[in-house]
């Protein structure tokens, strides 16, 4: 399930703070690590993924590069406020992707907000986001 | 098409012309303030720079920072994580040139180990008759520090855009380089 494309069950990226048309945000949820979304300078950076229904999430996986501090927040309805879900400092990986599986409390969420607070370089990339429901 | 964003920190001693340069650049040369008004804290200016022969641009968030020591600590808090730096001195003041290494160190200290691209600007090139800093001396120091050296005159509207255009292009080149590196990871 972690490797399944989130887009295949109707998830969408509804907000993103950087855009390079060569690296669209959909690249994060297509299940493919060869395509990626790339930030275009300055921190923090943010993106929000919305699911068609409430999901019970137990693990969130992320393939990325250059991310240092990441905060994940969730909301259960479109207009509701976001609550902290997890906060993590990633290790710096030279010449490869950062692969992280973050266990969360199994609570319901319709939207996940990813806040990239700092990086190991000016630009960070996200190649794949997966969840275990 | 892509629009990059860079935090550009402008530092240097008081009254060397940091604000004059920043304003000349952001107003396309229509605004040279004849009366000196000291910057307290940081003034934020934003301008987008088109990268030649592409449809891409770099949006520069210019943090024009006070040169007075009393304001330094407050300024440092507002810089955040700098992307690029513009260190300014005036060619008619050796003291202002000697301060440049201190200014550069202050900005570097905020970078959390990230690479910092930068330019060194010798402003007030119209005061050539009172020159205290030789071009070759400034150039040499800039090279040691990995900075590009440029001389400008905000008053004569001479090359005011050059430092900012150069920074935007260097940042754009860094982005393309990193993009290719990341492409190979996937």
């Amino acid at each position: 399930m972690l490797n399944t494309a989130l887009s295949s069950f109707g998830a969408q990226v509804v907000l993103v703070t950087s855009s390079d048309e060569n690296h669209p945000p959909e690249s994060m949820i297509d299940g493919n690590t060869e395509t990626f979304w790339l930030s275009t300078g300055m921190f923090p950076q943010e993106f929000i993924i919305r699911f068609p229904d409430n999901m019970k999430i137990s693990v969130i996986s992320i393939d990325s590069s250059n991310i240092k501090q990441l905060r994940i927040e969730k909301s259960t309805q479109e207009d509701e406020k976001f609550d902290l879900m997890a906060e993590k400092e990633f290790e710096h990986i030279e010449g490869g992707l950062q692969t992280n599986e973050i266990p969360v409390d199994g609570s319901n969420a319709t939207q996940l907000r990813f806040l990239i607070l700092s990086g190991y370089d000016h630009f960070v990339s996200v190649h794949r986001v997966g969840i275990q429901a | 098409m892509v629009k990059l964003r860079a935090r550009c920190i402008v530092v240097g001693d008081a009254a060397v012309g940091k604000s004059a340069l920043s304003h000349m650049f952001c107003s396309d040369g229509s605004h040279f303030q004849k009366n000196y008004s000291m910057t307290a804290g940081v003034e934020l200016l934003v301008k987008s720079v088109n990268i030649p022969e592409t449809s891409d641009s770099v949006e520069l968030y210019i943090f024009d920072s006070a040169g007075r020591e009393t304001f330094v600590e407050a300024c440092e808090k507002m810089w955040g994580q700098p992307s690029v730096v513009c260190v300014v001195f005036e060619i008619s003041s050796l003291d202002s040139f000697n301060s440049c290494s201190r200014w550069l160190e202050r900005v570097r200290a905020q970078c959390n180990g990230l690479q910092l691209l930068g330019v060194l600007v010798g402003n007030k090139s119209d005061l050539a008759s009172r020159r205290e800093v030789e071009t070759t001396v400034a150039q040499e120091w800039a090279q040691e520090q990995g900075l590009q050296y440029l001389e400008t005159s905000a008053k004569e509207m001479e090359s005011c855009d050059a430092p900012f255009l150069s920074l935007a292009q260097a940042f754009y080149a860094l982005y393309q380089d990193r993009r290719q590196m990341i492409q190979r990871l996937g």
Side-chain angles (χ1 to χ4, degrees), chain A residues 17-48:
Chain A
T17 49
S18 279
S19 84
D20 180 335
E21 61 185 8
N22 294 310
H23 302 281
E26 292 71 36
S27 311
M28 297 188 281
I29 54 168
D30 63 4
N32 181 355
T33 56
E34 279 174 30
T35 60
F36 56 92
W37 166 79
L38 186 58
S39 78
T40 60
M42 307 217 300
F43 291 99
Q45 294 283 335
E46 175 181 340
F47 60 90
I48 296 177

Side-chain angles (χ1 to χ4, degrees), chain A residues 1-7 9 11 28-29 49-62 72 85 100-102 104 107 109-112 114 128-133:
Chain A
M1 180 95 185
L2 282 174
N3 296 337
T4 313
L6 289 180
S7 57
F9 51 94
M28 297 188 281
I29 54 168
I49 295 175
R50 182 184 295 162
F51 305 108
D53 294 305
N54 250 333
M55 303 280 279
K56 244 187 172 35
I57 299 170
S58 57
V59 180
I60 299 170
S61 73
I62 301 171
I72 305 174
M85 221 179 176
N100 285 276
E101 286 185 8
I102 304 161
V104 289
S107 58
T110 44
Q111 296 192 107
L112 291 178
F114 297 79
R128 182 171 60 192
V129 177
I131 58 162
Q132 188 117 57

Side-chain angles (χ1 to χ4, degrees), chain B residues 133-150:
Chain B
V133 183
E134 289 309 319
T135 305
T136 48
V137 174
Q139 220 148 26
E140 207 166 294
W141 183 76
Q143 204 166 11
E144 271 168 38
Q145 299 299 321
L147 307 173
Q148 203 200 335
Y149 181 60
L150 293 154

Side-chain angles (χ1 to χ4, degrees), chain B residues 118-132:
Chain B
V119 290
L120 175 69
V121 178
N123 191 34
K124 308 196 186 179
S125 61
D126 50 292
L127 298 179
S129 59
R130 281 155 50 188
R131 182 186 278 275
E132 288 184 7

Side-chain angles (χ1 to χ4, degrees), chain B residues 6 30 102 136 146 157 177:
Chain B
S30 66
R102 195 174 70 239
T136 48
M157 297 189 209
D177 177 67

